Amino acid sequence: MQFGIFTVGDVTPDPTTDRAPTEAERIQATVAIARKVEEVGLDVFATGEHHNPPFVPSSPTTLLGYIAAVTERIILSTSTTLITTNDPVKIAEDFSVLQHLADGRTDVMLGRGNTGPVYPWFGQDIRQAIPLTVEHYGLLRRLWREEVVDWEGKLRTPLQSFTLAPRPLDGIPPFVWHGSIRTPEIAELAAYYGDGYFANHIFWPASHTRTMIELYRKRFEHYGHGTPEAAVVGLGGHVFIRPNSQDAVREFRPYFDNGPVYGHGPSLEEFTSLTPLTVGSPQQVIDKTLGFRDYAGDYQRQLFLVDHAGLPLKTVLEQLDLLGGEVVPVLRKEFAVGRSPDAPDAPTHQSLLRARDAGTGPQTPQTPQAPQPPQTPGS
């Protein structure tokens, strides 16, 4: 399994001091967090994409390109690249460049985002969100895989004799995760192409996440990519850790109560009982995270949110020390116990290159039209 961090890049006042970082401070703190991720032995750093205050990661590949230059080992990913409002040609170009800069240490998570106004900002119609996702992604795949692309769709101008430059590193496109919290059509799309499915279930109960992952695994098998256990699954999570649980709860409560996402709703205790949020000791984080396998099966990537809601950089780095030193080593060992022989390792550039050369990579079904996602799970 791969373990790592994702950030949403919010610029939020610290409720204990009322001070918010500047945008420059927040961006530099994000770089420091990524470097710490590598230092403590985690595997992945991922950033979201937002185009509005109070967020700073409006250009994820710019940020990741800089981080590539100051790291050596970690995989650099997005925790959302907006497939709906970004043009697929630009996505293909940006991530091909990033692949070359990072020597293949990159992949991409595609999603629709959760900010409605972003659609008109980029000249799109939110009512076309799912059709945009399907059409844009179909084109993106072709751009990465074909030397010359002639293409015509319904929601974008046609392409004639277009060649992507630069081509993907070693002819291997970045591994694609399709990220979603609540939308079964996205699980269907991931299954159709044999891509990864990332359930960022930090706001939802386990029963919902189980339904989404079971749908993805079932449809992955239906499209001929392998057994349900062979499907590639990632999960989100949110933790706050201190050596003892009482200190963790006391320290995190003002950040939870005033956070732009969690605040002013259910109590901290209610949220931790109903969702993957874990506030407590390293052992409590270990126990709850291991429980994700009860409803997700053997999965490949676990990303944690640790820098949300105005937490100071010092505190975030302390969280990473605890994750890397006390939590993730145990999780690696325990998740390996009883793992299904059909469960694949987490994808990397090198593993995709070996699979391509061996002729064992996932095959897209030979269907003339793009997939037509179901309207409800299992339909």
Side-chain angles (χ1 to χ4, degrees), residues 234-293:
L235 292 179
H238 187 183
V239 298
F240 186 84
I241 319 170
R242 286 304 186 203
N244 69 72
S245 60
Q246 294 86 352
D247 288 342
V249 170
R250 182 178 64 253
E251 185 175 348
F252 186 67
R253 189 180 297 281
Y255 297 94
F256 178 90
D257 288 346
N258 295 281
V261 173
Y262 292 120
H264 315 294
S267 69
L268 175 60
E269 286 73 17
E270 289 171 318
F271 225 94
T272 53
S273 69
L274 296 173
T275 78
L277 174 63
T278 312
V279 180
S281 67
Q283 189 60 53
Q284 287 173 304
V285 174
I286 290 167
D287 291 343
K288 190 160 187 176
T289 306
L290 289 174
F292 295 170
R293 185 160 63 172

Side-chain angles (χ1 to χ4, degrees), residues 344-360:
D345 292 337
T348 65
H349 181 78
Q350 291 303 318
S351 71
L352 296 174
L353 181 60
R354 290 192 298 269
R356 192 273 308 275
D357 292 344
T360 59

Side-chain angles (χ1 to χ4, degrees), residues 3-143:
F3 295 90
I5 297 301
F6 75 97
T7 181
V8 296
D10 60 308
V11 180
T12 303
D14 183 331
T16 67
T17 65
D18 291 327
R19 182 186 183 277
T22 66
E23 291 176 326
E25 288 171 337
R26 185 64 170 101
I27 291 169
Q28 292 299 327
T30 304
V31 174
I33 291 166
R35 298 182 75 166
K36 188 71 169 181
V37 166
E38 179 156 288
E39 177 189 322
V40 301
L42 304 184
D43 308 305
V44 182
F45 174 82
T47 177
E49 177 185 345
H50 293 276
H51 297 275
N52 56 295
F55 302 99
V56 293
S58 57
S59 181
T61 52
T62 303
L63 176 63
L64 295 177
Y66 183 90
I67 293 171
V70 296
T71 58
E72 297 179 354
R73 182 187 55 79
I74 55 172
I75 294 173
L76 306 173
S77 184
T78 50
S79 50
T80 303
T81 290
L82 299 177
I83 188 63
T84 46
T85 52
N86 283 303
D87 187 80
V89 172
K90 188 59 175 157
I91 295 175
E93 292 173 338
D94 285 350
F95 279 89
S96 286
V97 171
L98 182 59
Q99 270 194 315
H100 287 273
L101 286 173
D103 195 25
R105 294 186 292 121
T106 188
D107 55 35
V108 58
M109 187 190 302
L110 302 176
R112 295 178 298 134
N114 59 5
T115 305
V118 75
Y119 286 82
W121 293 343
F122 288 88
Q124 300 293 356
D125 183 345
I126 194 172
R127 293 170 296 182
Q128 296 294 318
I130 295 298
L132 280 166
T133 299
V134 173
E135 182 171 295
H136 280 186
Y137 183 55
L139 174 56
L140 178 61
R141 284 182 64 88
R142 291 188 59 188
L143 292 167

